[in-house]
Amino acid sequence: MLDACAALVDEVGYEGLTTTLLAERAGVAIGSVYQFFPDKRAVVQALTQRNLEAYLQRLTERVTSSELTDWWDGVGAAIDEYIHMHRTVPGFRTLHFGDVVDMHLLDEQRDNNAVIAEQLAEVLVAKFPVPDADELRFALAIALEAGDALIRFAFRRDNKGDEQVLTEAKALVREYLHRQFTGRLVRQP
């Protein structure tokens, strides 16, 4: 059902999505949809959670590999994975991490990008000598908001992502984080 939801969201958008359409596309009775999900929002929430888990798994695999040598490489990997999901994961370009539906879809207390920033901070702290601090999460939240807006812009300009805009998005995030943390982020041995 989640795969059917992802395909439908790409075709008709969130507003056009109905549980009836979902049941038809998934080849199940409408009662089967309601057995697992009370409404379309719950289906989209499950799809968003699946996308978040896939994103974090892929990011963790990249960050823990030996090819990344510093925290910026980890941030770059996070941006690259987000762009990759826009290009390859059905429904992601429309839903992102659920903010189209609800800014608090992933967590009732925090907005979706705050959840992503916290998860990203955990991944970076686990691999690189950076402090696990509120300052890092706050800076990552700002970087995510700015990067997310520019990545969306890139995909509005070009269905595959305008490379010039994507390059500028990465540069903006890098410069912001560099300004915030140069000489302050690395833990002393």
Side-chain angles (χ1 to χ4, degrees):
M1 283 188 263
L2 296 182
D3 291 339
C5 178
L8 280 168
V9 165
D10 278 345
E11 293 171 24
V12 301
Y14 177 72
E15 295 303 321
L17 177 68
T18 66
T19 53
T20 302
L21 278 175
L22 177 61
E24 289 173 5
R25 177 63 60 94
V28 300
I30 190 73
S32 295
V33 173
Y34 288 118
Q35 179 182 359
F36 296 101
F37 306 104
D39 53 26
K40 76 176 186 177
R41 183 183 185 282
V43 180
V44 169
Q45 186 172 26
L47 178 60
T48 299
Q49 190 63 44
R50 181 176 82 171
N51 286 344
L52 175 60
E53 290 168 6
Y55 172 77
L56 291 173
Q57 179 181 353
R58 288 178 52 92
L59 182 58
T60 300
E61 289 169 5
R62 284 189 67 183
V63 168
T64 58
S65 74
S66 60
E67 69 187 52
L68 304 181
T69 58
D70 64 37
W71 70 275
W72 169 247
D73 291 338
V75 171
I79 294 168
D80 290 342
E81 285 302 325
Y82 190 69
I83 292 167
H84 175 75
M85 288 184 79
H86 266 76
R87 290 179 172 150
T88 63
V89 176
F92 188 80
R93 187 180 306 181
T94 303
L95 298 174
H96 309 279
F97 285 120
D99 53 324
V100 171
V101 178
D102 182 348
M103 290 300 295
H104 297 275
L105 192 63
L106 295 172
D107 183 312
E108 291 180 12
Q109 304 302 314
R110 300 173 295 157
D111 70 60
N112 298 337
N113 275 351
V115 173
I116 303 298
E118 183 173 324
Q119 297 289 325
L120 179 55
E122 288 178 16
V123 169
L124 292 174
V125 167
K127 169 72 176 178
F128 302 110
V130 294
D132 182 15
D134 288 338
E135 183 180 9
L136 174 62
R137 281 188 284 286
F138 179 76
L140 288 173
I142 298 229
L144 276 167
E145 291 291 339
D148 185 39
L150 287 171
I151 291 168
R152 289 177 194 219
F153 176 58
F155 280 90
R156 283 194 318 268
R157 285 179 55 119
D158 181 330
N159 200 31
K160 295 179 183 177
D162 183 306
E163 288 299 329
Q164 185 177 12
V165 175
L166 293 173
T167 298
E168 290 300 314
K170 290 178 187 180
L172 182 136
V173 168
R174 183 180 188 129
E175 288 301 315
Y176 169 73
L177 292 173
H178 177 77
R179 185 172 49 90
Q180 293 299 308
F181 295 114
T182 299
R184 297 186 305 143
L185 195 59
V186 177
R187 277 185 253 151
Q188 299 302 315

